[in-house]
Amino acid sequence: MRCDYNYLSILDLTGLSAIEGVNISSNNFSAFNLNNLPNLKDFECANNQIYSLDCSNNAMLTTLVCKNNNLNYLNIKNGINQDFSIAGLNDCWKTGNPNLTTVCADAGEVASVQSFLDGCGDAGQMVMVTSACSMANEGFTKDSFTISPNPTKGNININYNGNGNSNDTIKMVQLYDSQGRVLLTKTSAENPTTINVSGYAAGVYFVKIVGEASEKIVKVVKE
């Protein structure tokens, strides 16, 4: 079904569960419900304003094109390990979605999806892929968190200047491995604060920072 390049903001596909392909690119959608499309293989929704996209009920999905939206949340954990990095089938989901910081995926595809996203789009935009969907919170804000050094061999220094007030506090810091498992939790009223990762193997980790009014996940590299 092709409905691209229109001015649509609503499309009801109730009763059309046999549909295998939907293209709604270049419309005015802010949301789209895929829950009743179990046979969907190809979904293209580029150039809209979709905030949240849940593909967890689309076990047949192999093609997902969603650049240039307003994505804060993407869930592709559908019980099937798909290779979304195949050239020509998928765009870089980071492109045009600067607020996308986490993607929920099946455990067996976390590494491949992480590699796909790390290797495309803006290298400065860090997206965490995790099978622990509770981490894929919607609406992470972009307050003034700074982390250094990154890469690091030991300490990670974290500073929070939320709302321009250097006296704002950091409520909690958590360290996750690439599979979304919590390795360290630190509750602190200090700002700045420090965590030490010298005891962990070299590789990619994620630091979740919770401030007074905002949260952020940042990818860090342990050398």
Side-chain angles (χ1 to χ4, degrees):
M1 174 179 287
R2 295 200 60 170
C3 302
D4 49 331
Y5 295 98
N6 285 285
Y7 296 95
L8 297 174
S9 59
I10 299 174
L11 182 62
D12 186 359
L13 299 181
T14 302
L16 301 178
S17 60
I19 285 180
E20 296 184 357
V22 175
N23 186 339
I24 58 166
S25 297
S26 300
N27 279 284
N28 295 318
F29 290 97
S30 59
F32 200 84
N33 186 353
L34 299 175
N35 289 339
N36 297 317
L37 301 175
N39 294 300
L40 188 67
K41 297 179 180 179
D42 182 328
F43 182 60
E44 301 181 35
C45 61
N47 306 316
N48 283 281
Q49 288 296 312
I50 297 174
Y51 177 84
S52 175
L53 189 58
D54 186 352
C55 305
S56 59
N57 290 323
N58 309 113
M60 304 294 291
L61 189 68
T62 56
T63 301
L64 178 60
V65 176
C66 56
K67 66 182 179 181
N68 299 328
N69 274 279
N70 190 32
L71 281 179
N72 280 251
Y73 175 73
L74 176 60
N75 185 353
I76 58 170
K77 188 176 182 178
N78 57 16
I80 303 293
N81 297 321
Q82 304 283 13
D83 185 0
F84 286 100
S85 65
I86 299 175
L89 294 183
N90 300 278
D91 62 358
C92 181
W93 304 328
K94 296 190 298 185
T95 302
N97 295 306
N99 294 321
L100 182 64
T101 56
T102 51
V103 172
C104 178
D106 291 284
E109 66 187 2
V110 165
S112 64
V113 175
Q114 186 71 69
S115 178
F116 165 53
L117 290 174
D118 287 348
C120 72
D122 181 359
Q125 182 182 353
M126 304 303 181
V127 178
M128 178 181 184
V129 182
T130 176
S131 61
C133 293
S134 60
M135 287 184 60
N137 295 326
E138 298 182 30
F140 283 107
T141 59
K142 292 198 168 186
D143 265 336
S144 300
F145 290 102
T146 57
I147 287 186
S148 64
N150 187 14
T152 183
K153 294 181 178 180
N155 286 336
I156 299 175
N157 303 308
I158 304 165
N159 186 43
Y160 170 49
N161 296 314
N163 301 318
N165 184 354
S166 61
N167 295 320
D168 281 344
T169 60
I170 296 172
K171 297 172 63 179
M172 182 177 68
V173 175
Q174 289 184 307
L175 179 70
Y176 293 82
D177 66 11
S178 60
Q179 300 299 312
R181 296 172 294 203
V182 179
L183 303 177
L184 179 153
T185 297
K186 180 178 182 180
T187 56
S188 173
E190 300 173 355
N191 186 32
T193 192
T194 300
I195 60 173
N196 188 286
V197 297
S198 60
Y200 298 101
V204 174
Y205 296 86
F206 293 87
V207 176
K208 180 178 181 180
I209 314 156
V210 181
E212 286 294 326
S214 60
E215 300 177 350
K216 188 176 184 180
I217 289 179
V218 178
K219 183 170 77 173
V220 298
V221 176
K222 166 64 177 11
E223 295 181 329

